[in-house]
């Protein structure tokens, strides 16, 4: 069963945090089809949030086809997400070692998230990311793009390039 952690200072709506954490548990294989989610009462007791917030999150997950509510029984997982490597996979171990090295190098959690998001954007470009959407600030055809040599910010220093490019890490 998943245990939700609510960060009241994150700026992310509480119900969205529940949705995101449920999806993460689905991706990691912590939740599988047929598993029951905690009841709204259990989540409220563990997190001290409003029951309507939990129900809103569960409705969103149900709308996305990930869970189904069974009257009188609870909310159950309908389908899984992704194919994330198991806890004992070499890929996960390598990522863990990389994260430990980043921490030892003095990077904090936000630094690591920003760096990882930038690399993800390079390796897995999205249609609305830096390489795919002209309105994105980092897209080369955007007049204010750092990659546009005629950009006002690059006219004084044509060789200037941002250290990291990428979208929002969330």
């Amino acid at each position: 069963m998943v245990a939700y952690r609510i960060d009241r200072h994150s700026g992310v709506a509480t119900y969205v945090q529940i949705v995101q954490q449920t999806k993460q548990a689905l991706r990691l294989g912590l939740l599988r089809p047929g598993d029951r989610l905690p009841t709204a009462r259990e989540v409220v007791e563990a997190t001290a949030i409003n029951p309507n917030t939990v129900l809103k999150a569960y409705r969103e997950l149900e709308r996305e086809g990930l869970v189904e509510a069974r009257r009188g029984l609870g909310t159950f997982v309908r389908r899984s997400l992704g194919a994330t490597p198991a806890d004992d996979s070499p890929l996960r171990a390598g990522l863990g070692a990389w994260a430990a090295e980043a921490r030892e190098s003095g990077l904090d959690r936000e630094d690591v998230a920003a760096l990882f998001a930038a690399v993800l954007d390079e390796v897995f470009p999205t249609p609305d990311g830096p390489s795919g959407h002209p309105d994105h600030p980092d897209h080369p055809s955007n007049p204010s793009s750092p990659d546009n040599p005629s950009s006002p910010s690059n006219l004084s220093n044509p060789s200037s390039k941002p250290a990291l490019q990428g979208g929002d890490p969330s």
Side-chain angles (χ1 to χ4, degrees):
M1 188 176 300
V2 66
Y4 297 109
R5 298 166 319 282
I6 304 304
D7 181 355
R8 299 181 195 298
H9 304 289
S10 71
V12 177
T14 304
Y15 88 94
V16 173
Q17 291 183 51
I18 293 171
V19 169
Q20 290 172 340
Q21 290 175 35
T22 303
K23 287 180 177 181
Q24 182 177 17
L26 290 167
R27 286 193 190 286
L28 294 174
L30 301 173
L31 286 174
R32 291 185 160 76
D35 287 350
R36 184 179 68 82
L37 294 182
T39 65
R41 176 177 284 183
E42 291 168 338
V43 176
V44 167
E45 289 172 359
T47 61
I49 61 174
N50 188 305
N52 290 325
T53 302
V54 179
L55 296 174
K56 182 176 182 179
Y58 283 11
R59 279 192 306 272
E60 175 66 19
L61 291 164
E62 190 169 19
R63 186 189 65 72
E64 293 182 28
L66 298 173
V67 302
E68 66 179 334
R70 298 180 191 160
R71 191 158 187 81
L73 297 175
T75 303
F76 293 83
V77 175
R78 288 184 66 197
R79 66 180 178 89
S80 183
L81 289 175
T84 303
D87 286 343
D88 60 349
S89 79
L91 189 59
R92 186 175 178 117
L95 185 57
W98 176 84
E101 184 179 344
R103 184 183 206 173
E104 289 169 8
S105 297
L107 298 178
D108 65 16
R109 184 179 183 93
E110 290 78 19
D111 295 335
V112 169
L115 179 58
F116 191 75
V119 171
L120 279 178
D121 285 346
E122 291 172 13
V123 176
F124 297 99
T126 60
D128 58 344
S131 63
H133 197 280
D135 293 333
H136 192 281
D138 292 339
H139 192 276
S141 70
N142 184 312
S144 63
S145 168
D147 290 333
N148 184 342
S150 63
S151 167
S153 62
N154 291 333
L155 288 176
S156 59
N157 183 3
S159 65
S160 69
K161 287 276 186 190
L164 291 176
Q165 292 182 355
D168 182 2
S170 54

